[in-house]
Amino acid sequence: MASTRRIVVIGAGPGGLCMGAKLREAGFDDFVILEQADGVGGTWRHNSYPGAACDIPSHLYSFSFERKNDWSRAYATQPEILDYFEQFATKYGLEPHLRLGSGARRVVWSDADARWTLSTDADTYEADVVVSAVGMFNEVNWPDIPGLDTFGGTLFHSARWDHDHDLRGESVAVIGSGASAIQFVPAIAPEVGRLYHFQRQPQWVAPKLDPPFSEEDIARFCADPSATEALRTEIYDRVDKAQTFADRDLLRLSEEAGLQNLALVEDPETRRRLMPTAPFGCHRPLISNDYYPTFNLPHVEAITDPVEKVTSDAVVTADGKERRADTIIVATGFATTKYLSVIDVIGRDGQRLDEAWSTGAQAYLGITTTGFPNLFMLYGPNTNNGSILFMIECQVAHVLRQLERMDAEGLAALEVRADAMDRYNRDLQRDLDGVEVWQTGCHGYYRVPSGRIVTQWPHSMTEYAVRTSQPHPDA
Ligand SMILES: Cc1cc2nc3c(=O)[nH]c(=O)nc-3n(C[C@H](O)[C@H](O)[C@H](O)COP(=O)(O)OP(=O)(O)OC[C@H]3O[C@@H](n4cnc5c(N)ncnc54)[C@H](O)[C@@H]3O)c2cc1C
């Protein structure tokens, strides 16, 4: 029999947890949070590779209403961030609402009942409102390399790190050079026997100003929360300015910083290979102090010749060169543009979300989409920018206001008007086209085959906060 709830939240990452905490605070107690994993934390539970850390300073990568004054360093590492979210779930009384090991598979809207029916493998829920908090980094992206499935050694994706496998002394091939590889390559290099880092498109890697906080700093932050507040504001202002990629001087300075960092590579040929070909900001900017020096180790090689195939025991590049490997670690990121594709979402009049989004995901403020009433998304299309936790807080506040309105105005269903959503997305795409650096042939992370950029928010976080605080255009 179906369990009936007012609200079902899908996902217990930062988004689902924030939603749960704010629902409770506002008195909406009739909700469950479905999570397919066996614990909370989302990204920070799944991505436990060596060296995993945030790349937005922790004092901004935490909720404004749940400050952590004792972060150990400027950019906290995965265990400390996961701990923050686990403690958050306990402190905000979310455990009774959590349904762990419950992956949502299908969600179907009924106009007659103004409700969603949601199925997991084991259970069915009926709910007035569904909030999707499945994130953008859950579906891992496997490269389409001939022979990869015939590899006889150990093979895993960096986002599903095989902690039972001992890399010590092994010949290890790493394929991909995004944010994760930049973090784990320096962490595993000292212990492996040989490390081949295959990269199609070397990225810009700027220095990371990542000092540990001293005991005195932490004591000061704990004794005087206004000191943490001041630091958070300073970080916010810096990030808000940088993440719009509009300031040419800042882009130039970032490239210069990247070049200075690259100069840490001693071998001129390796330096040449690692020189990015796209301008800074075209792809997600990366930061690391130890990535480039890793290539000064005699057993580490950067390879930019395209990978042609994988055999039972080697990676073969287009120049015919074969490099033997015991383990291949695939670090080719996530299917970031395929929002919600793991769930069958069927809206008004049997409309399927994947068909509605066949040319790319779109939503009003990334939160609501026409034809799918009472469905709210957190970290949805075109909301990637700055500290995602800040963006999520804006979204959660927006959703709560709509829930309160539904109660106050006796609305059974709430759906964004088609004209408002179309206008919003037309303007959004125009503004995205205005970001010069994204018009230089960036692909993948940001774009779908139709050419639309579906992940990025092109303005500041402040602009997003202003827009999400405005009335929702639904009548
Ligand atoms: C390695 C890495 C580093 C990052 N660093 C930063 C950073 O420094 N700063 C920043 O702002 N952002 C960063 N991000 C982005 C990060 O994903 C977000 O900051 C944040 O985790 C988003 O929270 P979320 O709850 O929306 O999604 P997630 O954290 O991805 O959580 C989603 C949850 O939904 C669950 N789920 C998915 N599908 C289903 C389903 N069908 N049914 C039930 N549960 C489901 C997942 O298991 C997961 O627990 C990083 C991402 C990665 C991968």
Side-chain angles (χ1 to χ4, degrees):
M1 214 182 73
S3 154
T4 303
R5 299 286 168 168
R6 174 81 200 279
I7 302 156
V8 171
V9 180
I10 311 173
L17 296 178
C18 181
M19 190 75 242
K22 290 294 175 180
L23 282 173
R24 286 203 65 217
E25 187 183 274
F28 291 96
D29 280 318
D30 186 15
F31 70 93
V32 287
I33 305 177
L34 307 182
E35 169 55 57
Q36 64 188 7
D38 58 2
V40 305
T43 286
W44 302 101
R45 172 165 294 276
H46 298 302
N47 291 267
S48 58
Y49 56 78
C54 58
D55 53 18
I56 292 288
S58 303
H59 279 284
L60 189 59
Y61 195 69
S62 35
F63 292 123
S64 64
F65 60 96
E66 184 53 38
R67 301 289 168 80
K68 179 172 156 61
N69 296 312
D70 60 350
W71 286 114
S72 63
R73 57 189 313 115
Y75 296 88
T77 58
Q78 176 264 344
E80 193 175 6
I81 303 172
L82 178 59
D83 185 60
Y84 170 82
F85 287 117
E86 287 178 337
Q87 289 198 30
F88 181 95
T90 305
K91 176 168 174 187
Y92 286 85
L94 299 179
E95 273 137 5
H97 299 268
L98 285 169
R99 300 290 177 273
L100 300 177
S102 291
R105 304 282 167 247
R106 192 175 156 85
V107 199
V108 184
W109 171 254
S110 159
D111 237 353
D113 309 325
R115 328 196 101 188
W116 289 99
T117 302
L118 186 151
S119 343
T120 68
D121 289 338
D123 302 303
T124 305
Y125 294 86
E126 303 244 321
D128 296 342
V129 168
V130 169
V131 180
S132 162
V134 299
M136 200 193 280
F137 294 88
N138 276 293
E139 209 184 321
V140 298
N141 188 38
W142 278 90
D144 191 12
I145 301 171
L148 190 59
D149 54 345
T150 67
F151 182 63
T154 305
L155 170 69
F156 58 87
H157 192 286
S158 59
R160 304 289 179 265
W161 197 269
D162 183 352
H163 289 281
D164 293 332
H165 183 70
D166 189 354
L167 294 170
R168 270 176 298 179
E170 282 199 339
S171 176
V172 176
V174 174
I175 301 178
S177 59
S180 303
I182 262 63
Q183 292 183 340
F184 75 75
V185 161
I188 64 168
E191 68 182 45
V192 302
R194 195 95 184 76
L195 201 157
Y196 302 113
H197 191 186
F198 297 90
Q199 35 191 299
R200 204 176 37 186
Q201 215 171 14
Q203 310 280 317
W204 285 102
V205 185
K208 188 172 188 177
L209 304 175
D210 187 25
F213 290 116
S214 65
E215 275 178 28
E216 295 77 50
D217 284 337
I218 293 173
R220 184 165 53 86
F221 289 144
C222 292
D224 174 15
S226 71
T228 324
E229 180 63 39
L231 178 58
R232 184 175 167 101
T233 303
E234 183 204 313
I235 298 166
Y236 179 93
D237 290 343
R238 188 157 33 88
V239 171
D240 210 26
K241 192 163 178 235
Q243 293 282 328
T244 61
F245 299 102
D247 185 330
R248 285 188 184 169
D249 287 339
L250 202 55
L251 287 170
R252 188 179 44 76
L253 287 173
S254 303
E255 274 203 14
E256 280 172 20
L259 285 176
Q260 272 173 26
N261 210 19
L262 176 62
L264 297 174
V265 178
E266 287 158 8
D267 172 46
E269 171 52 24
T270 305
R271 215 164 43 232
R272 186 194 63 73
R273 266 186 254 148
L274 290 173
M275 177 71 197
T277 46
F280 185 93
C282 189
H283 299 104
R284 178 178 161 173
L286 307 176
I287 45 176
S288 172
N289 297 332
D290 50 6
Y291 179 65
Y292 285 133
T294 302
F295 294 95
N296 298 332
L297 298 172
H299 65 290
V300 178
E301 187 185 353
I303 301 132
T304 47
D305 283 310
V307 172
E308 194 172 74
K309 63 175 179 183
V310 169
T311 65
S312 62
D313 67 349
V315 179
V316 184
T317 40
D319 57 2
K321 214 161 169 184
E322 206 172 304
R323 291 174 177 88
R324 205 195 60 73
D326 301 304
T327 292
I328 297 179
I329 304 173
V330 170
T332 43
F334 304 84
T336 48
T337 55
K338 293 188 184 167
Y339 287 95
L340 264 170
S341 61
V342 290
I343 307 175
D344 239 356
V345 184
I346 299 165
R348 195 187 283 288
D349 302 325
Q351 192 186 12
R352 304 179 63 89
L353 188 62
D354 55 359
E355 282 168 13
W357 284 355
S358 59
T359 58
Q362 55 176 330
Y364 176 74
L365 294 170
I367 303 175
T368 49
T369 194
T370 312
F372 298 84
N374 295 8
L375 171 68
F376 298 99
M377 287 169 280
L378 308 179
Y379 199 14
N382 293 106
T383 61
N384 197 38
N385 183 301
S387 169
I388 301 310
L389 298 196
F390 179 88
M391 303 296 273
I392 283 172
E393 278 195 54
C394 296
Q395 290 148 9
V396 166
H398 185 85
V399 173
L400 265 184
R401 273 199 306 282
Q402 309 324 312
L403 292 175
E404 281 161 355
R405 264 187 65 211
M406 287 173 80
D407 280 358
E409 297 173 26
L411 302 173
L414 186 145
E415 179 181 347
V416 61
R417 275 193 344 252
D419 65 307
M421 191 174 108
D422 289 348
R423 194 172 44 250
Y424 171 82
N425 277 288
R426 251 196 330 271
D427 291 352
L428 179 77
Q429 288 300 322
R430 182 203 58 211
D431 295 347
L432 286 159
D433 286 346
V435 182
E436 248 178 280
V437 74
W438 293 337
Q439 304 311 315
T440 52
C442 313
H443 288 289
Y445 192 109
Y446 298 157
R447 272 180 208 281
V448 288
S450 69
R452 281 190 13 222
I453 292 180
V454 299
T455 58
Q456 302 306 105
W457 170 249
H459 306 291
S460 61
M461 294 185 288
T462 306
E463 178 70 20
Y464 191 72
V466 169
R467 299 242 198 133
T468 44
S469 63
Q470 287 164 2
H472 186 262
D474 49 63

